[in-house]
Amino acid sequence: MKIVDIKIYVNCPGRNFVTVKIETDKGIYGLGDATLNGREMAVVAYLEEHIKPCLIGKDAHQIEDIWQYLYRGCYWRKGPVTMTAIAAIDMALWDIKGKAADLPVYQLLGGKSREKIKVYGHANGKNIEETLDHLGRLIDEGYKAVRLQCAIPGLEGTYGTLADKKDYYELQSDRPLPPEQIWDTNTYLNFVPELFKKAREKYGMDVQLLHDVHSRLTPIEAARLGKILEPYNLFFLEDSVTAENQSGYKYVREHTTIPLAVGEIFNTIWDAKELIENQWIDYIRMAATHAGGITPMRRIADFASLYHIRMAPHGPPDISPIGHAANAHLNIWAPNFAIQEFIGFGGTTLNNVFKHPLTLEDGHLLLQDKPGLGVDFDEKAAEKYTYKRSYLPVSRLKDGTLWNW
Ligand code: GCO
Ligand code: MG
């Protein structure tokens, strides 16, 4: 089955998505997600100029060889742009193989390890009261696990707080340059334990709670936060420190029993090798779209399972429904899957463009049995939603020093 064309679409049905469609001479096509929030067009150029010409005429069934060709065969390995481009091709090829076999992709991976995918939602608010009301609504909707992020008095537009419905995941296209936010570690560390204390007082110990530090702390600060939060029994503390230097997590680990999660910006297994081998973390948050696709994710899951580490894939709205579907097939299969981040898809505009096989029921995602990934993309409907340049925010300390966002 020969690849005859590769089409790349950039659309903004509510937010920017890059979609890859691989067409074959047998009339079967496959879809892949190549969305890299804030750097979309770099991936488009990589696909158009450096991947597409090399793949026309190749056998679409040769998923492994094509993955190796794009990764090992290229002198310049790794990096988010390269690996997101490879991911989209890999997903589309698994989609094709599933359609050709008339089987969902999870069947090709080895079948189901579970019937449904447990998710965690997000509760946010301008203050603790509002955040806890949001948590209450999600519990009523059936969520078993919820991430809590709250605006911090004195810090403008902190990560994950929906300040004026901006600075979170929303498109920033009304601002030509990255918006800036203020960060202060001391203010944050003094504030955040109260959020979890009040959450436990109000809702008890059953609901599972999570928190994303978004890499703002140093290892010793993260260790302190972990210790303070221990009585509130978090499911995990995410991205407590940056992980370019993986041994940072060793210091957090040595001081606290809070479960640790990291990995949403990792793009190869090498970014996680020491973290996994040393058991410095509990959950790995890599996801198909930014980690090179389904082929390497399968290896990462198996490697992590040797060290008691479970999968908790990144699932923000800036991954397209195709990427979410790829994660879902991996999650249904992986014996060491733990939880999927999922806060829903962006409403009717998005649903006009993508038809996906996922439904949320009682805090779990159900995956419909359809051949391949089970997603469809309406190119005609997508046409009118043109790409809008948009950036994630940047952070600065109060004195102007640039900090991790
Ligand atoms: C998460 C992430 C996201 C990222 C976003 C960047 O845990 O869901 O931290 O909020 O910031 O995906 O594009
Ligand atoms: Mg995160």
Side-chain angles (χ1 to χ4, degrees):
M1 185 164 42
K2 282 200 167 31
I3 296 174
V4 291
D5 202 1
I6 300 181
K7 292 179 173 142
I8 297 124
Y9 304 89
V10 197
N11 308 102
C12 187
R15 59 165 316 109
N16 292 320
F17 291 119
V18 181
T19 303
V20 169
K21 182 177 186 184
I22 300 185
E23 294 176 347
T24 66
D25 60 352
K26 295 279 183 285
I28 299 178
Y29 65 86
L31 296 171
D33 177 22
T35 309
L36 185 61
N37 197 5
R39 293 293 183 272
E40 294 86 354
M41 300 312 272
V43 185
V44 172
Y46 196 99
L47 283 159
E48 288 280 6
E49 185 62 25
H50 306 297
I51 289 189
K52 178 175 168 173
C54 307
L55 297 190
I56 306 293
K58 282 199 185 283
D59 179 0
H61 273 308
Q62 292 290 93
I63 300 180
E64 187 65 56
D65 187 68
I66 290 176
W67 195 90
Q68 298 294 338
Y69 181 87
L70 296 176
Y71 178 80
R72 189 180 287 251
C74 168
Y75 185 57
W76 311 105
R77 296 181 185 194
K78 308 198 286 180
V81 173
T82 301
M83 299 313 291
T84 304
I86 296 178
I89 298 291
D90 184 76
M91 272 181 224
L93 294 176
W94 279 98
D95 193 24
I96 289 171
K97 199 182 275 298
K99 286 172 180 164
D102 199 24
L103 288 171
V105 166
Y106 75 79
Q107 292 289 13
L108 308 181
L109 296 172
K112 286 187 183 179
S113 290
R114 58 193 55 76
E115 294 303 322
K116 50 188 187 173
I117 299 163
K118 184 173 162 188
V119 302
Y120 70 89
H122 290 186
N124 335 272
K126 286 204 285 289
N127 49 46
I128 293 184
E129 204 190 342
E130 214 180 274
T131 309
L132 296 190
D133 286 349
H134 193 183
L135 169 60
R137 289 198 298 280
L138 294 179
I139 293 172
D140 291 345
E141 284 171 31
Y143 280 90
K144 315 289 177 233
V146 180
R147 188 188 91 167
L148 302 185
Q149 308 292 138
C150 182
I152 297 165
L155 296 185
E156 233 175 84
T158 304
Y159 166 77
T161 58
L162 283 170
D164 298 328
K165 298 264 171 214
K166 298 277 182 213
D167 302 336
Y168 184 49
Y169 293 110
E170 282 78 5
L171 199 71
Q172 307 285 338
S173 60
D174 52 340
R175 308 178 205 183
L177 295 172
E180 300 207 353
Q181 299 180 336
I182 298 294
W183 179 254
D184 181 66
T185 297
N186 200 38
T187 310
Y188 168 77
L189 286 178
N190 285 336
F191 176 81
V192 91
E194 193 62 14
L195 172 64
F196 285 88
K197 183 168 178 278
K198 295 234 164 87
R200 286 303 183 203
E201 279 166 9
K202 189 158 180 191
Y203 297 104
M205 293 303 274
D206 281 352
V207 61
Q208 290 174 319
L209 299 178
L210 304 89
H211 182 64
D212 189 349
V213 180
H214 229 252
S215 307
R216 306 282 164 90
L217 301 178
T218 65
I220 206 66
E221 290 163 352
R224 180 170 152 233
L225 179 64
K227 272 179 121 155
I228 297 172
L229 293 179
E230 273 171 26
Y232 312 120
N233 192 22
L234 267 64
F235 187 85
F236 63 57
L237 185 69
E238 176 186 339
D239 286 358
S240 50
V241 292
T242 54
E244 287 103 319
N245 181 352
Q246 297 179 38
S247 66
Y249 278 83
K250 173 178 188 283
Y251 298 100
V252 187
R253 189 60 143 190
E254 278 169 356
H255 295 285
T256 172
T257 58
I258 198 166
L260 300 171
V262 66
E264 65 181 46
I265 65 166
F266 294 177
N267 28 82
T268 75
I269 199 164
W270 300 103
D271 294 330
K273 184 175 174 285
E274 288 169 60
L275 288 167
I276 293 174
E277 278 175 347
N278 291 298
Q279 295 173 220
W280 288 331
I281 57 168
D282 301 277
Y283 299 94
I284 179 85
R285 299 211 354 99
M286 295 171 76
T289 302
H290 301 129
I294 292 169
T295 299
M297 281 296 287
R298 195 173 45 157
R299 290 198 182 99
I300 290 159
D302 281 339
F303 178 54
S305 76
L306 301 181
Y307 299 93
H308 312 285
I309 292 164
R310 297 199 292 155
M311 310 300 287
H314 188 209
D318 49 86
I319 282 180
S320 92
I322 304 168
H324 279 278
N327 286 343
H329 286 272
L330 284 156
N331 294 340
I332 282 281
W333 155 74
N336 56 331
F337 164 76
I339 200 163
Q340 171 67 57
E341 178 184 33
F342 187 75
I343 61 170
F345 292 132
T348 29
T349 317
L350 187 124
N351 293 337
N352 287 339
V353 174
F354 294 97
K355 302 272 174 279
H356 61 81
L358 300 168
T359 43
L360 188 64
E361 237 182 78
D362 196 33
H364 293 78
L365 276 177
L366 305 181
L367 174 63
Q368 257 168 60
D369 259 347
K370 287 189 172 172
L373 292 173
V375 186
D376 242 319
F377 172 69
D378 186 337
E379 313 161 20
K380 272 266 147 293
E383 247 168 39
K384 62 171 181 275
Y385 305 112
T386 49
Y387 163 77
K388 296 190 173 69
R389 179 150 53 89
S390 165
Y391 292 104
L392 287 165
V394 297
S395 279
R396 287 185 190 277
L397 303 183
K398 285 179 172 164
D399 68 359
T401 308
L402 202 92
W403 200 246
N404 312 322
W405 179 74

